[in-house]
């Protein structure tokens, strides 16, 4: 009897340990469900490329910048402008706690990303997207992904 319980516990621990990474196709499904395909003229492939170049699909990534601000989550949203990290001055344009941008359900970060993309500059607000995704063929990001 203890063997199935132990296996179950170990499985849960492994799942928690790997929970910070999301698969490319799993992310595509979530982004599709949240109506990001075509949002402000950007395709799912743009969003997937953005998530890869910013965080390697790591939902809980936090990066400190030289100006003392932090970038949060799969899209690396900056604390100076978009969320409140309670550590530095912020405009908090998304009206969200930065820790919420690290949630595995992704809704807070998706809503904030929508707000960023809806403003001036669109995805050009992300330097890495401009350098690695903009104007490039990106269809391969959806290879093997089935959204249905």
């Amino acid at each position: 009897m203890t063997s199935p319980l132990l296996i179950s516990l170990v499985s849960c621990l492994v799942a928690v340990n790997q929970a910070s990474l999301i698969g490319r196709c799993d992310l595509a499904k979530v982004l599709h469900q949240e109506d990001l395909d075509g949002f402000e003229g950007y395709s799912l492939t743009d969003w997937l490329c953005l998530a890869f170049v910013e965080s390697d699909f790591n939902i809980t990534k936090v990066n400190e910048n030289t100006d003392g601000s932090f970038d949060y989550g799969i899209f690396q949203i900056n604390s100076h402008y978009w969320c409140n990290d309670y550590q530095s001055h912020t405009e908090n344009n998304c009206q969200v706690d930065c820790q919420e941008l690290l949630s595995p359900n992704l809704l807070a970060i998706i809503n904030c990303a929508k707000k960023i993309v809806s403003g001036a500059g669109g995805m050009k607000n992300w330097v890495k997207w401009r350098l690695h995704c903009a104007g490039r063929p990106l269809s391969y990001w959806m290879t093997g992904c089935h959204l249905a």
Side-chain angles (χ1 to χ4, degrees), residues 1-134:
M1 284 280 189
T2 60
S3 184
L5 181 60
L6 182 60
I7 291 171
S8 224
L9 178 61
V10 170
S11 296
C12 287
L13 292 174
V14 169
V16 168
N17 188 35
Q18 294 176 345
S20 64
L21 296 178
I22 187 169
R24 175 179 51 85
C25 292
D26 291 333
L27 179 59
K29 287 177 187 175
V30 171
L31 298 177
H32 180 72
Q33 290 168 351
E34 294 302 318
D35 298 320
L36 284 176
D37 193 16
F39 185 80
E40 296 292 337
Y42 297 100
S43 68
L44 283 181
T45 59
D46 284 302
W47 291 100
L48 292 172
C49 185
L50 174 66
F52 178 75
V53 299
E54 286 291 344
S55 70
D56 291 327
F57 301 124
N58 184 345
I59 294 168
T60 59
K61 181 177 180 182
V62 178
N63 181 58
E64 184 173 4
N65 298 303
T66 56
D67 66 358
S69 67
F70 290 83
D71 295 333
Y72 289 85
I74 199 161
F75 299 130
Q76 291 293 278
I77 292 178
N78 186 266
S79 64
H80 180 74
Y81 300 103
W82 303 105
C83 64
N84 191 352
D85 64 359
Y86 303 98
Q87 297 178 42
S88 57
H89 169 75
T90 182
E91 295 177 26
N92 196 10
N93 290 319
C94 287
Q95 297 298 302
V96 67
D97 185 316
C98 293
Q99 291 300 311
E100 290 181 50
L101 302 179
L102 305 176
S103 172
N105 76 17
L106 301 177
L107 292 180
I109 200 156
I110 287 170
N111 289 333
C112 188
K114 283 181 173 181
K115 185 168 191 134
I116 295 168
V117 169
S118 296
M123 277 198 176
K124 291 178 183 173
N125 286 300
W126 284 276
V127 173
K128 288 184 179 180
W129 182 85
R130 284 195 320 254
L131 294 173
H132 303 288
C133 307

Side-chain angles (χ1 to χ4, degrees), residues 23-29 44-45 48 138-148:
R24 175 179 51 85
C25 292
D26 291 333
L27 179 59
K29 287 177 187 175
L44 283 181
T45 59
L48 292 172
L138 301 173
S139 61
Y140 61 89
W141 284 107
M142 289 297 294
T143 302
C145 298
H146 305 285
L147 300 179

